[in-house]
Amino acid sequence: MGFRALITDKDAAGKVTSSVQVLEEERLPEGDVSVDIEWAGLNYKDGLCLTGGGGLVRAYPHVAGIDFAGTVRESRDGRYAIGDQVVLTGWRVGETHWGGYAERARVNADWLVPLPAGLSTRDAMVVGTAGLTAMLAIDRLEGAGLKPGAGEVLVTGAAGGVGSIATALLSRLGYQVAALSGRPQHGDALRALGAASIIDRNDFLAQPDKPLESARWDGAIDSVGGEVLGKLLKQVKYGGAVASLGNAGGIALETTVLPFILRGVTLIGIDSVMQPYATRVAAWKRIAETFDIAAYAGLVREMGLEELPVAATEILAGEVRGRVIVRPGLS
């Protein structure tokens, strides 16, 4: 029996387009577990894959979608049985391997994580790669000494998927969150997630630039990069740490050694793609215990496969608030 998938293809002139097609099982790539996909997510990388940006997709036709959740349909691996609910993020699925924008996927069992208790497959994609990355950042910051109650933690790109979930998680864990965004019109939604203050990105960048600025932040989670990351490093308190996990504002980093050698600031890189199994399981467990799905409901938008090409351009333009989740079976 065939299944629906969003097929992304490139023509001889290099134009990339996507369309919903019905495929047969034998079209799926190699793998030892087949999953009936119930929900997938829309992430910045997905926007690149659907538009041909960034060189992420090497072979066409392709099925994008870097994360998904669903139920095991077939398994040749003893860790997963038919009917088990699972989550997949990372491992370049949706980039070099067919991903979640289909009703079915076939993947390597090592890439899967059992759905944690307390989360539905829909909940898992509300969290998705964005939430997993945010929790990995919090875990690393706490490992570097960050503790609740001492001072403010800055979250940049706070209206986006990673930033909004990081804001919600930090608040639930007892941190005082300052949410920085280029879209201050979303301030009320961020306050509802627990942000103690809202900072306009333009105002933040307009402050006088010095090699070291007034120490303000106990720590920070940065999903923007570029000029924003360069400036916030100058404002971190002695012994503080910054988790860097995105580059929506650019890949260049202009800074000096002064924050590092005079204040002992630590810059931590966060990668969610190749994280080992045990780290993923622990992060998902903590998410299930911490994240308030109901409180985040107003920042969730649902769509079917047909709507993804337009949504891809929106997320690349910074026009998506919160999380977009995809229901492949919706037509």
Side-chain angles (χ1 to χ4, degrees):
M1 182 178 177
F3 61 93
R4 299 170 74 247
L6 183 69
I7 298 296
T8 300
D9 212 344
K10 180 188 285 188
D11 65 19
K15 183 179 179 181
V16 175
T17 58
S18 299
S19 62
V20 177
Q21 301 176 25
V22 176
L23 305 182
E24 297 301 321
E25 187 85 17
E26 54 266 24
R27 290 287 301 278
L28 289 172
E30 290 298 315
D32 40 29
V33 180
S34 295
V35 179
D36 286 328
I37 299 173
E38 294 159 20
W39 294 94
L42 175 67
N43 305 277
Y44 192 86
K45 274 188 177 180
D46 297 316
L48 293 172
C49 291
L50 290 175
T51 59
L56 298 180
V57 178
R58 304 295 177 84
Y60 294 91
H62 182 66
V63 176
I66 68 168
D67 52 16
F68 64 78
T71 301
V72 172
R73 179 184 182 90
E74 296 179 355
S75 176
R76 294 178 301 180
D77 188 282
R79 290 169 288 180
Y80 295 102
I82 294 172
D84 287 351
Q85 292 188 310
V86 292
V87 180
L88 184 144
T89 63
W91 299 108
R92 303 206 68 193
V93 171
E95 300 175 52
T96 61
H97 190 94
W98 280 18
Y101 294 159
E103 292 179 306
R104 200 169 303 162
R106 186 185 291 136
V107 296
N108 187 323
D110 292 337
W111 302 341
L112 297 169
V113 172
L115 186 74
L119 292 182
S120 67
T121 53
R122 183 185 185 279
D123 294 340
M125 282 301 100
V126 170
V127 176
T129 296
L132 175 64
T133 307
M135 184 55 84
L136 291 170
I138 293 170
D139 287 342
R140 291 287 302 278
L141 288 172
E142 290 179 338
L146 185 68
K147 296 179 181 179
E152 291 182 292
V153 178
L154 181 68
V155 175
T156 74
V162 178
S164 57
I165 296 180
T167 297
L169 288 169
L170 285 166
S171 176
R172 294 273 290 181
L173 291 167
Y175 292 94
Q176 183 179 353
V177 181
L180 185 149
S181 176
R183 296 177 283 172
Q185 67 269 29
H186 299 314
D188 288 344
L190 291 169
R191 287 188 184 92
L193 293 179
S197 61
I198 308 298
I199 301 173
D200 187 303
R201 183 181 62 209
N202 292 329
D203 293 341
F204 176 78
L205 292 175
Q207 298 172 26
D209 200 27
K210 302 175 183 178
L212 275 181
E213 300 179 15
S214 297
R216 181 172 180 182
W217 318 114
D218 274 19
I221 294 178
D222 174 60
S223 61
V224 177
E227 190 178 7
V228 169
L229 177 56
K231 191 165 187 67
L232 77 85
L233 283 168
K234 304 170 186 178
Q235 301 178 2
V236 178
K237 293 180 182 178
Y238 189 90
V242 176
S244 171
L245 47 77
N247 62 349
I251 62 172
L253 176 59
E254 293 187 14
T255 187
T256 73
V257 299
L258 297 186
F260 310 108
I261 66 173
L262 296 184
R263 288 184 179 164
V265 171
T266 300
L267 179 59
I268 302 170
I270 304 297
D271 166 63
S272 66
V273 176
M274 307 302 289
Q275 287 289 329
Y277 178 82
T279 304
R280 291 170 187 265
V281 170
W284 275 108
K285 181 177 184 294
R286 196 177 185 198
I287 288 168
E289 294 168 347
T290 306
F291 191 56
D292 187 342
I293 293 288
Y296 195 80
L299 288 170
V300 179
R301 173 183 167 198
E302 295 182 9
M303 65 175 54
L305 295 175
E306 288 83 356
E307 299 168 82
L308 277 167
V310 172
T313 63
E314 292 174 349
I315 198 167
L316 294 181
E319 297 171 356
V320 169
R321 182 184 76 155
R323 287 283 291 162
V324 173
I325 57 174
V326 183
R327 191 174 179 184
L330 182 65
S331 59

